[in-house]
Amino acid sequence: MPLKLFNTLGREIQVFEPFIPGKVGFYGCGPTVYNYAHIGNLRAYLTHDILVRTLRRRGFEVCHVMNITDVGHLSGDNDTGEDKMLKTAEERGKSVLEVADFYTSAFFNDMDRLNIVRPTVIPKATEHIADMIALIKRIEDAGFTYFAGGNLYFDITRFPAYGELARLGDQRAGARTDLDESKRNAGDFVLWFTKSKFENQALLWDSPWGRGYPGWHIECSAMSMKYLGEQFDIHAGGIDHIPVHHTNEIAQSETATGKHPWVKYWLHNEFLVLDKGKMSKSAGKFLTLQHLIDSGYDPLDLRYFLLGAHYRSPLQFSFQALDGAKNSRKSLMDHIRRIHSEEKPGSHSADSYLENFESALDDDLSTPRALAALWGLIRDSSSRNILDIVVSMDRVLGLNLMQNLGKSESDPEIEALVAERSAAKKAKDFAKADSIRQDLQNRGISLEDRPSGTIWRRN
Ligand SMILES: [Zn+2]
């Protein structure tokens, strides 16, 4: 069965066929690093992770590019508003690049804790200004720009296919409210600013249009094409990127190269919703992964929770729902641990579960059905020989199902007692070692001594 993906371009499920057989070029819009990522942002990166893991499991060679927006990002989708990077820097008394470095590290710390595989290439916007200028020059040479009020604009009316992704139709030239009087059409957008709308713009570069800085959308066009070529296979991001950001990326890229389609498949994830509103940093209050950890959750509880919904369905976040995910994950680990401790292999065939698992992922990355296939496997079988299949499934799920077998959960107190008992045994103080074992037994913890060390589990 082939891999099928829902392509926003065309609004239908399509069989995935890359430009070059066996190879996949994939670009996912990355973070703007002016604050911590909220858990709603993390849903997008987890979706990208499942896509990449699924492709690799099927044998595709994947080049995954994700940008870091560390330059004058403009809030919202309009070319007006405040520069969030600059605002945070001023509040903290730091330089813009110091702020960017700090939150870039924090972002990758979150990615690691969620077991998200690092992208192949992670370009920073500030290190690719020359590529952006070169691309803008090509768009200008092709006749799609005009200069007004100190800024270089893209004229959307010159590009007939504008808005195809978002199906903007006749609304395309008037859909937005914008106070910029230099624009010929409301939908036009800035490629290069020399007239900053913000005072004290921190980062400025020389360009053929004057000293200034790039518009937001151009970085994704420039950096994706630099690393993936002028046409590539998959581009992904949140659904909020469809009407403006991705629409503008297509306009820039296809007018610069004259090639269509710039990208074959567009994947968009739905939001994680909290309190009936989009979870957004701009709204002020937001939840981070660290908040969840501080509240006693393992990052993989969030991963499990997110996998429980299809990426194209809105997902309501609540602590009650996260508790449900936490309990399910614990139960799953307990089952696997029990199977792992079985002495002899059984004869149970698990092929049908693996087939269900693979067909779930092939059907537009259905992680809820993939999880159900895993559950079916471990409920119906207690023989150790299914563990190879668990490992195989976990290559996509990324729940560390086999790595964490030695401990049912992180519990510093129990781990300290286990270590104390090991030390007592080593010192041949067997009375003390036995008393600790008994103490743990009374708490419902059983121990197993192995050549590699002692593992513990709850009974
Ligand atoms: Zn982007």
Side-chain angles (χ1 to χ4, degrees), residues 194-230:
T194 69
K195 280 276 182 299
S196 177
K197 295 192 175 83
F198 324 114
E199 285 182 18
N200 311 320
Q201 183 62 40
L203 296 171
L204 297 168
W205 294 267
D206 288 323
S207 84
W209 312 280
R211 194 162 168 77
Y213 59 96
W216 171 36
H217 314 295
I218 197 71
E219 73 173 87
C220 287
S221 290
M223 299 199 286
S224 60
M225 289 198 275
K226 173 162 183 160
Y227 296 102
L228 298 171
E230 292 190 349

Side-chain angles (χ1 to χ4, degrees), residues 29 220 245 249:
C29 288
C220 287
H245 181 52
E249 281 187 41

